[in-house]
Amino acid sequence: MSEPAPTRRELARNAVRAAAMVWRSAPIHVLGYLAVTLVGSATPVAVAWLTKAVLDGVARGQTSALLNLAVAIAVVTAVATAVTHAGHYLRAEVDRRTALRAKEELFAAVCRVTGLAPFESPAFLDRLRLAEQSASNPGRLVDTALSVARGTVTVAGFVGSLALINPAFTVVVLLSAVPALIIELRMSRQRVAMLWRIGPAERRELFYAHLMSTADAAKEIRLFDLGAFLRLRMLAELRTANAARRRMDQREFSVQASLSGASAIVAGAGLVWTILAAGRGQLSVGDVSMFVAAVAGVQAALNVMVSAGVMVYEQLLMFHHHVTIVTAEPGLPASSQARSLPPLRRGIELRDVWFRYGPDHPWILRGVDLFVPNGETVALVGRNGAGKSTLVKLLCRFYDPTRGAILWDGVDIRDVPPETLRARIGAVFQDFVSYELTATDNIAVGDLPAAQDQTRIEQAARDAGVHDTVAALPYGYRTLLSRGFPADEEEEQEQGVLLSGGQWQRLALARAFLRRDRDLMILDEPSAGLDPEAEHEVHSQLARLRSGRTSVVISHRLGAVRDADRIVVLTDGVVAEEGTHAALLAEGGTYAQLFTRQAAGYLDDADTAATETAGAPR
Ligand SMILES: Nc1ncnc2c1ncn2[C@@H]1O[C@H](COP(=O)(O)OP(=O)(O)OP(=O)(O)O)[C@@H](O)[C@H]1O
């Protein structure tokens, strides 16, 4: 798996973008860093000059000025130390500020993604990981750019001296850096491509490591004794990634060894020429020593420049992942004529909706025609995998139908900005999220602006039947619902608490109650984790909430949906049956079969109980 490398033009644009980001994030610190770097590079020269003056003074016997010179050397040395420390601090601050901005940009873009498909795409997830990595140390760009600048100054300084002695050889030394640059650039492209290739292995390694270190999986891992199995898998992924990195390092090592050999040959040839010229009396001993120093200086500086240039290039290749995500379209195709969405009046229609999760996936919906009238409750039932949750995801426009359309009072929902549509929907999803936040926050996420009002939160909790539970927590609504984080020190909470599955389910319901004023309420298995009494209570509450509102309810507990205005049975990707509970029972189809089987299960239990009671010893 590889991906096309960015073009030169794209890289140039990325360079400007990266420089602008570093500059905008920390202009003062960047300037400060430049200043201390310049001062830092000037101090050795100053010390050298001052030392020379001291030595000359000693030689001439002018000891009166020596004290001042000694103080000057001490001051310059102190300045050199101070600017080194200041440089470290400023560089770290540039890193921190730029990383903050890069992360802000990156995750704003991630949150802008409108559909769910990218989060199920390995390419997107790999890119996101590399983009995060590229944001972790952006100050390196400044450093490497400075190294290039410093190298240029050194090269310019030595090239002058070298050219005076042997102009032709100067050209040879300079040209010898060109193949090195080309080869190193190719290596850095290969390195970035290698990082892309090992992305899935590294993500799997993280996945196994995460599994082994979180409470969610701890029970099963211990009961099924999965520790060694997961650890070995994690290590296998790490070995795969290491092997790819090692191969790359070995290739780089052999290339760099060859390049060093080539530089040594160039330098050696120069030295031979110099010695011969000195032998012929064309060069003095001083010229030979200058020549040797200048060749070494130019080669060392060119090396630094090439490595720094290559590092900038590599960083820009990595930064390309950041730019790709940040500048990507938000996902679902946007209509050219975005329409507003008036409150629902007539209803929502699914017109010949076909859907599959990808071109190589099976069809899940195969031409669903369905009308959800305004103010009515439609219950979706069907066997596992029939496509009920998928249909609900299409209603929220997490995906677009592959064929057909969903119309909201006749308006195709693809013509409406997704956030406008979603603002009109309240939902409890089958796989709702248990946020490791306080109880208040766990409810407030249902409607953040409205949730400023604590009484609304408490009312939603009351409606969901969870108020008493929350109020009885050690810190009431402020209690942290997690044991994985230290609780709020200001509140003097020592550690958070955990809720039971059914209590979490009720909190998720409270979130939905906070959005009770929305046009469409989606309830996907809203009572899955509740005990029978709680289920009855919640369904009665939901029935009150739904009354006069449009809702789509999914439940395998058919007793809970029998009161729906319309029950729709999904089978093989189409609406197989539709009607009221009574009508569908009378029809004697799939619904009647499912319902009677479920009811028989309850009856069997009752019968057993009755038999046991009857047969109990008198
Ligand atoms: N994100 C996804 N990518 C690929 N396939 C998916 C995805 N989500 C669901 N599926 C597949 O779509 C089919 C329908 O799943 P869906 O969750 O809609 O069924 P359901 O009727 O809600 O089932 P259940 O009653 O078990 O909750 C399943 O075969 C499932 O494997």
Side-chain angles (χ1 to χ4, degrees):
M1 182 181 48
S2 68
E3 60 140 30
T7 61
R8 277 201 203 113
R9 184 186 288 249
E10 281 173 328
L11 280 184
R13 269 204 303 264
N14 292 353
V16 173
R17 194 181 178 112
M21 185 159 79
V22 173
W23 175 252
R24 275 204 305 271
S25 310
I28 306 287
H29 295 83
V30 168
L31 284 179
Y33 187 50
L34 289 177
V36 297
T37 309
L38 277 181
V39 172
S41 32
T43 48
V45 181
V47 171
W49 279 102
L50 289 167
T51 312
K52 176 187 172 314
V54 169
L55 293 176
D56 289 346
V58 172
R60 283 196 294 271
Q62 298 166 337
T63 46
S64 58
L66 290 187
L67 188 62
N68 289 345
L69 286 170
V71 171
I73 289 179
V75 170
V76 172
T77 311
V79 168
T81 314
V83 294
T84 307
H85 293 305
H88 288 158
Y89 169 77
L90 289 167
R91 150 82 208 268
E93 193 56 19
V94 169
D95 266 359
R96 281 188 286 268
R97 288 176 183 240
T98 316
L100 192 76
R101 184 178 280 256
K103 268 227 156 111
E104 185 198 356
E105 236 183 38
L106 186 65
F107 282 90
V110 169
C111 293
R112 263 200 315 273
V113 172
T114 44
L116 298 192
F119 298 101
E120 295 164 347
S121 146
F124 177 82
L125 298 173
D126 287 337
R127 194 185 289 291
L128 184 54
R129 218 186 91 270
L130 292 178
E132 275 190 80
Q133 273 177 24
S134 93
S136 65
N137 202 357
R140 264 193 310 187
L141 264 178
V142 183
D143 256 358
T144 38
L146 276 179
S147 301
V148 173
R150 274 200 300 260
T152 314
V153 172
T154 317
V155 168
F158 278 125
V159 156
S161 326
L162 198 58
L164 284 177
I165 302 170
N166 186 343
F169 188 71
T170 312
V171 175
V172 172
V173 171
L174 289 178
L175 285 183
S176 68
V178 174
L181 182 65
I182 293 172
I183 292 171
E184 296 253 22
L185 286 178
R186 185 179 311 150
M187 298 291 296
S188 69
R189 269 200 302 275
Q190 287 175 3
R191 175 168 280 278
V192 171
M194 178 274 295
L195 290 177
W196 174 261
R197 272 198 310 279
I198 63 171
E202 292 200 323
R203 278 196 301 113
R204 276 194 295 268
E205 182 210 328
L206 286 178
F207 160 72
Y208 290 124
H210 179 74
L211 265 189
M212 283 185 280
S213 47
T214 51
D216 288 350
K219 289 194 295 290
E220 290 203 5
I221 290 175
R222 270 142 197 83
L223 192 78
F224 301 151
D225 196 15
L226 299 179
F229 167 77
L230 293 173
R231 204 172 55 248
L232 288 178
R233 289 227 166 163
M234 178 189 75
L235 294 179
E237 299 295 351
L238 184 55
R239 281 195 191 97
T240 307
N242 278 353
R245 285 177 188 273
R246 187 177 305 114
R247 276 195 300 278
M248 193 67 223
D249 287 347
Q250 285 166 348
R251 210 175 306 155
E252 277 182 11
F253 173 69
S254 58
V255 164
Q256 269 152 4
S258 316
L259 289 175
S260 307
S263 315
I265 290 171
V266 170
L271 191 58
V272 170
W273 172 85
T274 324
I275 291 168
L276 291 177
R280 288 194 301 271
Q282 291 164 336
L283 294 179
S284 70
V285 175
D287 287 340
V288 174
S289 118
M290 180 63 209
F291 182 86
V292 171
V295 169
V298 170
Q299 284 193 328
L302 281 176
N303 259 344
V304 169
M305 281 172 68
V306 167
S307 331
V310 166
M311 212 181 284
V312 169
Y313 179 67
E314 197 171 308
Q315 283 160 11
L316 288 178
L317 285 177
M318 290 288 277
F319 189 64
H320 186 66
H321 294 297
H322 174 97
V323 175
T324 307
I325 290 186
V326 167
T327 55
E329 290 296 323
L332 297 169
S335 163
S336 53
Q337 25 145 23
R339 300 176 62 171
S340 61
L341 197 66
L344 190 65
R345 291 211 330 274
R346 294 198 304 282
I348 302 164
E349 183 190 354
L350 282 86
R351 190 179 290 170
D352 190 25
V353 168
W354 289 69
F355 181 74
R356 57 181 171 183
Y357 282 95
D360 49 354
H361 284 235
W363 288 104
I364 308 297
L365 304 180
R366 301 162 170 269
V368 171
D369 286 304
L370 175 65
F371 189 62
V372 182
N374 183 26
E376 288 194 8
T377 294
V378 170
L380 289 179
V381 300
R383 297 197 164 86
N384 289 133
K388 305 177 293 293
S389 300
T390 301
L391 194 152
V392 152
K393 287 191 265 185
L394 295 185
L395 281 176
C396 299
R397 207 181 166 214
F398 294 139
Y399 305 89
D400 279 335
T402 318
R403 286 187 227 156
I406 300 179
L407 308 169
W408 176 289
D409 280 347
V411 175
D412 191 324
I413 60 172
R414 282 173 293 210
D415 293 338
V416 178
E419 56 282 6
T420 309
L421 170 72
R422 291 171 194 162
R424 296 209 167 273
I425 300 177
V428 178
F429 294 112
Q430 192 176 22
D431 48 357
F432 63 85
V433 181
S434 305
Y435 298 93
E436 294 193 62
L437 301 171
T438 63
T440 289
D441 288 345
N442 260 287
I443 300 174
V445 291
D447 187 0
L448 284 175
Q452 303 300 326
D453 180 359
Q454 182 67 18
T455 52
R456 285 197 59 183
I457 290 190
E458 292 187 16
Q459 187 53 49
R462 272 196 186 88
D463 293 341
V466 73
H467 169 76
D468 291 344
T469 308
V470 174
L473 293 174
Y475 298 90
Y477 279 81
R478 300 190 319 275
T479 309
L480 179 70
L481 302 183
S482 159
R483 290 177 63 81
F485 291 106
D488 192 341
E489 278 173 18
E490 267 179 35
E491 301 261 7
E492 293 179 359
Q493 286 187 41
E494 281 180 8
Q495 211 184 3
V497 299
L498 285 185
L499 295 184
S500 76
Q503 289 165 338
W504 271 117
Q505 178 95 39
R506 285 166 180 261
L507 272 191
L509 274 168
R511 258 172 238 159
F513 280 119
L514 210 54
R515 292 173 84 88
R516 70 180 77 222
D517 54 344
R518 309 303 159 110
D519 292 345
L520 172 65
M521 183 62 78
I522 290 172
L523 302 161
D524 190 351
E525 293 289 359
S527 58
L530 302 184
D531 61 56
E533 205 177 324
E535 186 188 3
H536 174 74
E537 191 191 309
V538 160
H539 274 289
S540 321
Q541 187 62 24
L542 282 173
R544 274 199 296 282
L545 168 81
R546 288 199 315 257
S547 103
R549 300 206 168 271
T550 318
S551 52
V552 173
V553 186
I554 299 177
S555 181
H556 285 294
R557 307 202 193 182
L558 301 183
V561 295
R562 60 186 290 169
D563 296 332
D565 299 297
R566 196 180 289 220
I567 296 170
V568 171
V569 183
L570 274 186
T571 309
D572 295 330
V574 291
V575 174
E577 292 166 31
E578 189 173 351
T580 59
H581 170 74
L584 290 181
L585 274 192
E587 219 173 85
T590 307
Y591 178 79
Q593 223 179 38
L594 291 174
F595 187 83
T596 30
R597 199 167 297 155
Q598 220 171 56
Y602 288 122
L603 274 179
D604 284 350
D605 287 345
D607 290 348
T608 312
T611 316
E612 276 172 6
T613 314
R618 276 171 223 177

